[in-house]
Amino acid sequence: VDLPLSEGLLEDADLEEVSEAFAAKDGAALAAKLKDLKDDADEADVQLVRKRFFKTLMSFVRAMMLGGKLPRHQAFRNVEAVEDAFRQSERSMNDEAVLSFLMDRIVFPTS
């Protein structure tokens, strides 16, 4: 499963908050931001917001992959972890649990 490329990323202000929470490995902050984004969206746009949110997370793990500071197999595991989290979120699983588990699975470069 690949996240739709045509859906775009989050707006700049939201992107910064998500980036900071991701870098801090803070699943609870990510879940709170996703909740805020979904709450602010029209009911018909909630799925689009979710896609954009996870597309943004995917852009972070792809940037780590392209940075070359992770072993290739681990970089691909990070991509798989985001895809898994997206699928779990689509199944109406608790976003905080999904994102906290995701942050436990992501490996960040050490330098």
Side-chain angles (χ1 to χ4, degrees):
V1 171
D2 196 9
L3 301 177
L5 295 175
S6 62
E7 301 299 341
L9 300 177
L10 298 176
E11 301 297 324
D12 287 345
D14 297 321
L15 183 62
E16 186 173 331
E17 287 181 56
V18 173
S19 177
E20 289 172 5
F22 183 83
K25 303 179 187 180
D26 188 344
L30 288 172
K33 184 61 184 175
L34 178 55
K35 180 184 181 319
D36 289 346
L37 291 168
K38 291 190 314 187
D39 288 349
D40 290 345
D42 293 331
E43 190 173 325
D45 293 334
V46 169
Q47 185 60 19
L48 177 61
V49 166
R50 182 188 327 280
K51 285 179 184 178
R52 285 186 175 162
F53 183 86
F54 281 96
K55 172 82 175 140
T56 300
L57 297 182
M58 184 63 76
S59 74
F60 299 155
V61 298
R62 286 185 176 158
M64 287 192 295
M65 179 187 299
L66 295 174
K69 296 187 185 227
L70 284 176
R72 189 170 176 85
H73 72 279
Q74 188 56 61
F76 282 110
R77 284 187 188 146
N78 284 351
V79 169
E80 290 172 355
V82 174
E83 289 175 342
D84 289 345
F86 176 68
R87 283 191 297 270
Q88 292 168 346
S89 180
E90 279 190 313
R91 286 188 229 133
S92 300
M93 296 181 78
N94 177 286
D95 286 327
E96 186 168 354
V98 167
L99 291 166
S100 292
F101 183 62
L102 172 62
M103 289 295 92
D104 288 343
R105 291 181 63 193
I106 296 288
V107 173
F108 287 82
T110 55
S111 57

